[in-house]
Amino acid sequence: MPKPNNAPQGRKSLMDNRVVSILMALACGLATWLVVTIYIDPQGSTTIRDVPINYANSATTYTNQGLDIVERPDISGVTVRVEGNITSIGKMTSSDIMVYPSYSGVSGAGKVTLRLQARVTNTTDYPGNIKCIVEKPYDTIDVMFDEVSEKTVPVTVDASAVSIADGYMLNKTSAVPAEITLRGPTSELDQISQVVAPVLSDDALADTTTTPSTLELRDENGNTITPQYTTMDSDSANVTLTIYQVRELPLEVDFIGVPNGFDTSSLHYTLSQQKLRVAGPARTVSALESLTVTDFDLAREFEMDRDYQRLIELPAGVVSLDGVTNVTLSFDTTDMASTTLNISNIRLVNVPSNYDMEILSSLVSGVELYGPKDEIEERRQRSRADRLPEHQPDSRPADHPGHHPDPVLHPHLRHRQLHGTVRGHGEIKSAHPANGPLWEGAPAKRVRREPKIIVSPSVSFADTTYAARLLCRFAA
């Protein structure tokens, strides 16, 4: 049996106490952790509220399938728990984080539950391993998808609220842009029938004006609608309202080919419509006193007992409000008669001094002479009494009792231009000037032969009183 050790022992150190050692170890560990967490890598978490959801992130996942979001939860923002270096994340705001849905489960139209994810977007100010977690209950959301398409709709101007001044009218409206492209879910696009540009005006308009307008989307019944997801390539347009002045103007006929001395007032004629309501720009319409129809050529067109269709000539920009573009021209020839002449008395007039002119035609036949019945009949009776054929010119002295003034044919050569070929014409032979053009305005050239120039004839009478009542027309 061993003997107990009764030898005296030395004093024990505090460090030899096991409990103290454990406490010292824990204190050192805590101190180390505090140093690391406070000064080296302090970790922690913070909560950031009202972070908006960014639905556009990775949206190609569903847009490539021809889909778009047509319904989503009405959430202004969600709460995100951020974990990381507490010194750093303590200064973080909602603008430094992006919350977005994960579209990995979207495969077609319909309602899909999407998981919300979050990440730091401001990595410059907040680098390192920072974890973001969307807190319940909005860590998942339900979103409705539908097929997306586009359609282009013309802009319709609504000027129903515009007041127009008396004596004026709204002629037309236009908008720039003239059409709008809509993009959105097919279900929404199907509801849109019109893109309307409404126009308001406090004053009565008397002149063309352009004004901006905010576009509206309307359904087939004309009701304004506001689609949730449909977008427009422009939400406004510049609208032009074209204002025209309205007037009623008399119609008139301009006579051309009038024989020298002939009094056109001796013709009794009527138009099927005496006046015409027209509209046009105020600066044009206000200056008009009357409107004319297409010229009537007495020397070529006039015949007994015949009506003529004439086109109403409107100035540029002026329109007819009566829907009439043609009128009928009628002559009252009840007291008129006609006879046929062959004219051999041909004289040149208006010949330029540097031209040598020679008349080749010796006779123009088939000239119709129109006038009062009594004077035409008197000519016939005197011709028969004196046995002078009607087609022969009366060459007797003017004081001869059977003399009746005969017409003289004048082939007119205009200084600036020659008349074109007409029914019944005189032919004139002209020598080309040595150093000049054939007529003013034509290119200078050498003429190797004497050209024949076809000119328009006119008929005159020696007795101007007699001429004022008689009209000649050349036969075809």
Side-chain angles (χ1 to χ4, degrees), residues 276-277 320-326:
L276 187 70
R277 290 178 64 249
S320 169
L321 298 181
D322 295 334
V324 177
T325 58
N326 294 275

Side-chain angles (χ1 to χ4, degrees), residues 151-158 175 177-182 192-198 214-219 232-237:
K151 74 174 181 179
T152 301
V153 182
V155 176
T156 302
V157 177
D158 181 3
E179 57 185 21
I180 295 295
T181 298
L182 306 175
I192 302 172
S193 298
Q194 291 180 304
V195 177
V196 179
T214 301
L215 298 177
E216 296 180 356
L217 301 180
R218 297 184 183 178
D219 60 17
M232 300 186 291
D233 57 0
S234 177
D235 59 1
S236 64

Side-chain angles (χ1 to χ4, degrees), residues 306-447:
R306 177 185 167 188
D307 293 336
Y308 305 86
Q309 293 297 314
R310 315 311 289 180
L311 179 68
I312 300 174
E313 296 180 325
L314 297 176
V318 177
V319 296
S320 169
L321 298 181
D322 295 334
V324 177
T325 58
N326 294 275
V327 292
T328 301
L329 171 64
S330 303
F331 290 92
D332 182 3
T333 58
T334 305
D335 297 327
M336 295 183 68
S338 66
T339 186
T340 303
L341 302 176
N342 295 328
I343 301 177
S344 60
N345 190 0
I346 305 175
R347 302 173 188 173
L348 291 170
V349 296
N350 198 29
V351 179
S353 59
N354 60 335
Y355 281 84
D356 179 16
M357 312 294 289
E358 178 185 349
I359 298 176
L360 299 181
S361 298
S362 59
L363 179 69
V364 176
S365 58
V367 178
E368 292 288 332
L369 181 66
Y370 299 92
K373 280 184 178 180
D374 55 349
E375 297 189 13
I376 296 295
E377 185 60 29
E378 181 184 355
R379 176 181 176 83
R380 288 174 176 167
Q381 291 176 359
R382 289 184 179 181
S383 297
R384 294 191 193 101
D386 295 340
R387 294 182 180 181
L388 182 67
E390 282 191 34
H391 63 275
Q392 294 293 330
D394 192 346
S395 58
R396 291 167 294 185
D399 57 356
H400 190 279
H403 177 84
H404 209 46
D406 289 311
V408 178
L409 179 66
H410 298 289
H412 282 261
L413 177 64
R414 302 298 183 189
H415 184 56
R416 285 193 174 273
Q417 61 180 359
L418 300 179
H419 282 245
T421 304
V422 298
R423 287 179 285 179
H425 60 264
E427 291 185 345
I428 298 177
K429 182 175 69 177
S430 171
H432 186 274
N435 297 312
L438 190 58
W439 61 82
E440 184 177 342
K445 61 181 179 179
R446 179 180 295 276
V447 178

Side-chain angles (χ1 to χ4, degrees), residues 96-226:
D96 301 316
I97 300 174
M98 180 175 66
V99 174
Y100 56 95
S102 173
Y103 298 115
S104 58
V106 179
S107 59
K111 181 180 289 187
V112 181
T113 300
L114 304 178
R115 182 170 56 86
L116 292 184
Q117 298 177 329
R119 62 181 175 85
V120 176
T121 54
N122 186 4
T123 56
T124 302
D125 294 334
Y126 305 102
N129 185 21
I130 299 176
K131 185 178 181 180
C132 299
I133 302 171
V134 179
E135 294 192 337
K136 296 180 181 297
Y138 297 120
D139 55 337
T140 61
I141 56 174
D142 291 333
V143 176
M144 181 69 72
F145 291 87
D146 198 354
E147 294 182 356
V148 173
S149 58
E150 289 185 354
K151 74 174 181 179
T152 301
V153 182
V155 176
T156 302
V157 177
D158 181 3
S160 58
V162 174
S163 177
I164 307 299
D166 292 340
Y168 293 83
M169 63 170 285
L170 176 61
N171 178 61
K172 65 179 181 179
T173 61
S174 60
V176 178
E179 57 185 21
I180 295 295
T181 298
L182 306 175
R183 186 180 188 279
T186 304
S187 57
E188 285 191 354
L189 294 182
D190 290 342
Q191 301 176 31
I192 302 172
S193 298
Q194 291 180 304
V195 177
V196 179
V199 182
L200 302 176
S201 175
D202 296 332
D203 302 323
L205 299 181
D207 198 5
T208 297
T209 183
T210 299
T211 182
S213 174
T214 301
L215 298 177
E216 296 180 356
L217 301 180
R218 297 184 183 178
D219 60 17
E220 59 183 4
N221 298 319
N223 299 318
T224 301
I225 58 177
T226 307

Side-chain angles (χ1 to χ4, degrees), residues 42 92 166 252 393:
M92 191 174 291
D166 292 340
E252 297 180 353

